[in-house]
Amino acid sequence: MTAATAHKRSRTDALKPYRLVLAVAALYGVAAINSPERAWGAALVAAKTFASVAPIIIAVFAGLGLVQVFVDKQALARHLGDRAGLPALLIAAAAGTILVGPVFVVFPLLKTMRDHGVSWAIITTALTAWAVKLPMVPLEVTFLGWRFSIARMALTLIASVAMGSLMGRLMREKPEAIMPAADSDTA
Amino acid sequence: MDPTGIVYLAVLGIAYAVYWRKSPAKSRKALGAGAISFAGILPTLIAVFGLVGLFDVFVPPALIERWMGSSSGVLSLVVGTGLGSIAAGPPAAAYPIAATLLKGGASTPAVAAFIVSWVLVGFVSLPMESKVFGVRFAVLRNGLSMLAAALIGLAMGVVL
């Protein structure tokens, strides 16, 4: 069946979302067999929720495009390199919040910075502040409310600075002495 | 129709109009980049909203309350953090699920821990993170992030 072919291609990230769609469709199939009217009810809830937030989702992604093109990631990276101490962490936190992009763009970017001598503390702070997801806020507010969104962002920012200084300390010893280098086979 | 969505769209329309006068080529690129991200996420969103519907109708609130309700205390934090760490996906997909959990009786700390660990901790992307930054950094960062998610959840319970 399709499961076998899906498994064979499990490494290709591009297909992942479609596997999820198939899985959910299968769940609906099972639900429809057991209780057609409740399955129909679930589909209705799904459609209504989606329809109510569709304009916001579209607006968020239009904004994401603007940030992606108009925020110069390389310049952002340069700014982080030439400072130290708490001010550096605060700047890293600020930079992290406006950083936009998928894992496979952000990880290598920060790795490049690390290779240019930027401290682990700053890398961790930027990476953690990246979780603030500022461009997604309209969506978060719609589902969870202003108070939730603001509190979560503020606490994540605080955590980013705390994690940064902690990781800066933890990473100070020689990495090779404590743990072997990344096993290249795992990925 | 929801008026907030219209307001956001209007704001973005104005932003694009302003940038378009400044730099039409870059604005077109921005629109393209946004469209590509949106197209990439659309199947996941469809699946997630489908799940939200199923969740809403088929998962009994008692089940959510037992595992993630405020009366479950530490367990609800652990479950929230654990679910968020295992789940991999765009943050946009986390919010509708979180809202469904809240509606079903999950506590605010548990839901906050769920969202924070969703974006901060990636069991699925651990191999990639290890390859880029080294195993030591990846394991330490994800471990600390789980702790941070639980603590942020706790703090959210106090603040809200």
Side-chain angles (χ1 to χ4, degrees):
Chain A
M1 232 191 70
T2 43
T5 42
H7 180 75
K8 214 182 288 170
R9 293 175 186 174
S10 66
R11 291 271 185 257
T12 14
D13 288 339
L15 282 172
K16 258 188 208 156
Y18 296 99
R19 280 194 290 154
L20 200 59
V21 172
L22 283 178
V24 172
L27 280 177
Y28 269 94
V30 173
I33 290 164
N34 286 310
S35 162
E37 64 281 1
R38 289 178 84 191
W40 177 244
L44 229 62
V45 169
K48 267 190 202 150
T49 317
F50 203 178
S52 68
V53 294
I56 296 167
I57 294 175
I58 291 169
V60 162
F61 279 91
L64 225 55
L66 277 183
V67 177
Q68 228 162 40
V69 170
F70 283 92
V71 171
D72 185 352
K73 286 195 183 76
Q74 308 305 329
L76 215 59
R78 274 196 301 277
H79 267 294
L80 292 176
D82 40 276
R83 281 181 188 82
L86 186 64
L89 291 190
L90 293 179
I91 288 167
T97 57
I98 51 170
L99 202 59
V100 162
V103 169
F104 52 84
V105 172
V106 171
F107 278 9
L109 176 78
L110 290 174
K111 169 68 173 156
T112 314
M113 287 166 58
R114 174 65 199 149
D115 293 341
H116 282 80
V118 174
S119 73
W120 281 118
I122 286 177
I123 302 288
T124 308
T125 300
L127 202 54
T128 308
W130 178 50
V132 169
K133 307 284 177 201
L134 202 56
M136 290 285 165
V137 165
L139 206 58
E140 184 177 16
V141 168
T142 310
F143 279 108
L144 301 165
W146 271 115
R147 289 160 56 83
F148 186 100
S149 183
I150 288 173
R152 185 199 59 82
M153 285 192 291
L155 289 166
T156 304
L157 274 179
I158 295 168
S160 75
V161 175
M163 291 250 309
S165 47
L166 200 58
M167 283 294 281
R169 239 153 261 168
L170 289 172
M171 293 298 290
R172 201 162 288 162
E173 304 93 340
K174 265 201 184 140
E176 298 82 17
I178 288 108
M179 232 181 247
D183 187 357
S184 51
D185 293 329
T186 44
Chain B
M1 202 170 179
D2 183 26
T4 37
I6 309 297
V7 172
Y8 285 128
L9 277 179
V11 169
L12 261 299
I14 292 165
Y16 266 96
V18 169
Y19 277 113
W20 207 282
R21 287 185 58 184
K22 242 171 78 181
S23 166
K26 272 183 116 175
S27 302
R28 210 171 293 128
K29 224 176 118 191
L31 208 54
I36 287 170
S37 317
F38 181 67
I41 204 183
L42 195 57
T44 309
L45 282 181
I46 290 171
V48 161
F49 281 101
L51 270 182
V52 164
L54 285 174
F55 223 84
D56 197 81
V57 173
F58 285 97
V59 176
L63 189 73
I64 300 175
E65 260 206 89
R66 173 143 54 95
W67 289 96
M68 294 180 83
S70 47
S71 56
S72 315
V74 178
L75 175 71
S76 70
L77 268 184
V78 172
V79 171
T81 307
L83 281 181
S85 303
I86 297 164
Y95 306 129
I97 294 175
T100 310
L101 288 172
L102 263 184
K103 219 177 88 192
S107 69
T108 302
V111 171
F114 169 77
I115 292 219
V116 174
S117 58
W118 178 300
V119 286
L120 216 47
V121 185
F123 286 175
V124 177
S125 58
L126 205 55
M128 189 206 172
E129 189 173 343
S130 303
K131 211 174 163 193
V132 175
F133 293 113
V135 175
R136 184 179 153 79
F137 176 86
V139 170
L140 277 174
R141 193 197 68 78
N142 279 280
L144 282 177
S145 294
M146 287 182 80
L147 205 66
L151 286 176
I152 288 174
L154 267 183
M156 291 279 286
V158 176
V159 175
L160 294 183

